[in-house]
Amino acid sequence: MNRLDRVRPWAARLAPALVGLVLGVLALWPALGPGFVLRYDMVFVPDPPISPESGGFPRAVPSDLVVALLSSVLPGQLVQKAILLGIFVLAATGAAALVPGERRVARLVAAAFYAWNVYLAQRLLLGQWALLLGYAGLPWAVRAVTREGIWRTVLALLPAAIGGFQAMLVSVMAIVPVAGRRAPRALLVAAVLSLPWLVPALGSAAVTDPAGVRAFAPRADGPLGTLGSLLTLGGVWNSEAAVPGQETWWSALVRLAVAAVAVTGYALLAGRRPAYWGGLAVASAAGLAVGCAGAFLPGVLEAMVGLWPGFGPLRDGQLYLAPFALLQAVGLAAVTARLSPAVRPGMLVLPLLVLPTFAMGAFGRLVAADYPPDWSRVRSIVDADPAPGALLTLPWGGYRAFGWNGGRVVLDPAVKLFQRRVVWNDGLPVGLGDGRTLTLATEDPLARRVGAVLAGSGPLTGSLAAEGISHVLIQRPNENLFRSRLPGARLIFAGQDLLLFHL
């Protein structure tokens, strides 16, 4: 027996958490310094409001509320870093707990792979920390619906519930086939925990652009094509989410070989216990099918989204690979258990060797930055103003590349900053990889009307006021594009980075 298989029971229980923590620190090291990590959808702000008003689909419900509550007790920077590290720890411990038998090295291999793979890396580089909460809790949810009572299922699904609609949809895709005859109970728990975002989503007047199917379709991120990318847990639609070096032949072939070994190991494991492990295989196949549909049968998904906006979450099919990542982690552990004791410890470093450039914030892509003072000053002015009305943030585009953030693209922080309603352009521009850019239709009805006003050439003040806009925030150096179109508006703050007008 290997020395690692003879460690004390208490140490064996702590080891997966330690593996997750070490991998988290290694991946996030530049992001753990002072400041906030701001990249694409990952927008944390100092002292976020408890209940900001918003339009469109409730994608940030209830994750924003949980962050705001935690930030009322702890500094916002600390909250963000704790959540990001917690994702690695929760993912590692869950994958280890799901591995059958007493082979402790095999459990650690599952922990390491599930906390360090292309899927997690790409989604983190997109800033989708809320989705990754559901991903991290997925193995615990799979374990709970097959072995334990309803309250353990509730507890296991809490990370997905906090993460919101994407996190819960990914979890449901896994737990329903795994639960078997307990599936109705698992669905009931998931439905109740989804009410915070499900109710406002069903009552929303927001729309989903079917063109998003092609915009968010999985794409090849290496030489193996789209299908090869999906089989190796990659294929995300945004090329900026690729891990450095991932596109090389060496990296792609090694990841494909590891995936083949892992799937083989899982097949051997499932053959001995088909009733327990067959469900995860079904969930993995379903996730792959959704990913392939966007890439190879986009017309089908476009028709579905056109019939009902509720099919919109299927546009980004690659995110449903989460069950497949868990299957590969368990399968790799099964292979490790069959190896000789001398070889098993070497499997622990395999995920790092396969994806070494995820370390150090993916070579500097995840770095902490401080907000300039203008942001806190503007928030104080706006939140202290008793006058009703919404705030319009300009220029009219949802994502920014700030110099103080190292030029990294991030969702406009104004969306998360104020107590009052913020109107912004949620029509996402997506590069199609062939030099063309597709801009999706705006979801929020108010934003669509405001966008039509901005598209004109005349004065804006009266038309914006008629739509309920009371404040206009302009981020420099764009003031010359809009200032002349705001006659009668009162400039109430002029800083180095921001201008604030009152209509």
Side-chain angles (χ1 to χ4, degrees), residues 72-93:
S72 66
V73 180
L74 299 170
Q77 299 180 27
L78 183 59
V79 170
Q80 184 189 31
K81 298 176 200 321
I83 289 175
L84 294 179
L85 286 175
I87 288 171
F88 285 84
V89 174
L90 187 63
T93 53

Side-chain angles (χ1 to χ4, degrees), residues 43-54 60 62-72 379 382-383 413-422:
V43 182
F44 285 68
V45 298
D47 304 318
I50 295 295
S51 56
E53 297 184 42
S54 62
S63 55
D64 276 357
L65 174 61
V66 173
V67 169
L69 291 173
L70 292 174
S71 298
S72 66
R379 179 175 59 183
V382 172
D383 288 350
V415 175
K416 310 280 187 181
L417 197 64
F418 301 97
Q419 291 282 0
R420 67 182 65 221
R421 173 84 146 84
V422 175

Side-chain angles (χ1 to χ4, degrees), residues 159-466:
I162 294 172
F165 84 106
Q166 284 186 327
M168 186 59 78
L169 290 178
V170 167
S171 300
V172 168
M173 172 171 279
I175 64 174
V176 168
V178 168
R181 59 184 176 83
R182 299 185 181 92
R185 184 180 71 181
L187 268 177
L188 177 61
V189 172
V192 171
L193 292 176
S194 299
L195 290 178
W197 61 263
L198 187 59
V199 171
L202 293 175
S204 173
V207 298
T208 301
D209 190 347
V213 171
R214 298 179 190 270
F216 295 129
R219 301 178 193 175
D221 51 24
L224 300 179
T226 301
L227 182 58
S229 297
L230 292 172
L231 291 174
T232 56
L233 305 179
V236 76
W237 54 273
N238 191 330
S239 61
E240 294 299 316
V243 182
Q246 181 185 328
E247 74 284 356
T248 64
W249 271 105
W250 179 90
S251 176
L253 291 176
V254 170
R255 285 187 284 115
L256 184 62
V258 171
V261 170
V263 171
T264 301
Y266 189 86
L268 295 174
L269 178 65
R272 298 198 302 270
R273 303 174 67 184
Y276 181 77
W277 293 107
L280 186 56
V282 170
S284 301
L288 276 170
V290 173
C292 289
F296 304 114
L297 295 171
V300 175
L301 286 183
E302 286 174 341
M304 294 170 62
V305 174
L307 287 174
W308 182 47
F311 288 119
L314 297 179
R315 300 181 302 176
D316 189 357
Q318 193 265 355
L319 71 86
Y320 295 98
L321 294 183
F324 192 40
L326 183 57
L327 181 148
Q328 291 192 26
V330 175
L332 204 59
V335 172
T336 301
R338 290 171 171 259
L339 298 175
S340 67
V343 176
R344 286 177 204 150
M347 295 291 286
L348 275 172
V349 298
L350 181 62
L352 289 170
L353 295 177
V354 171
L355 199 65
T357 51
F358 185 30
M360 303 303 293
F363 282 23
R365 285 161 173 78
L366 295 170
V367 177
D370 288 314
Y371 281 96
D374 281 9
W375 291 87
S376 60
R377 293 169 184 164
V378 164
R379 179 175 59 183
S380 298
I381 295 171
V382 172
D383 288 350
D385 190 343
L391 179 142
L392 170 65
T393 177
L394 296 174
W396 190 238
Y399 288 81
R400 309 278 193 264
F402 298 107
W404 52 264
N405 191 39
R408 299 173 188 86
V409 177
V410 64
L411 180 67
D412 185 357
V415 175
K416 310 280 187 181
L417 197 64
F418 301 97
Q419 291 282 0
R420 67 182 65 221
R421 173 84 146 84
V422 175
V423 182
W424 59 288
N425 183 5
D426 59 15
L428 182 66
V430 181
L432 298 180
D434 56 2
R436 295 179 298 144
T437 299
L438 173 66
T439 300
L440 304 184
T442 305
E443 294 180 350
D444 180 12
L446 176 56
R448 289 200 298 272
R449 297 195 300 270
V450 170
V453 171
L454 295 171
S457 57
L460 299 173
T461 310
S463 299
L464 293 179

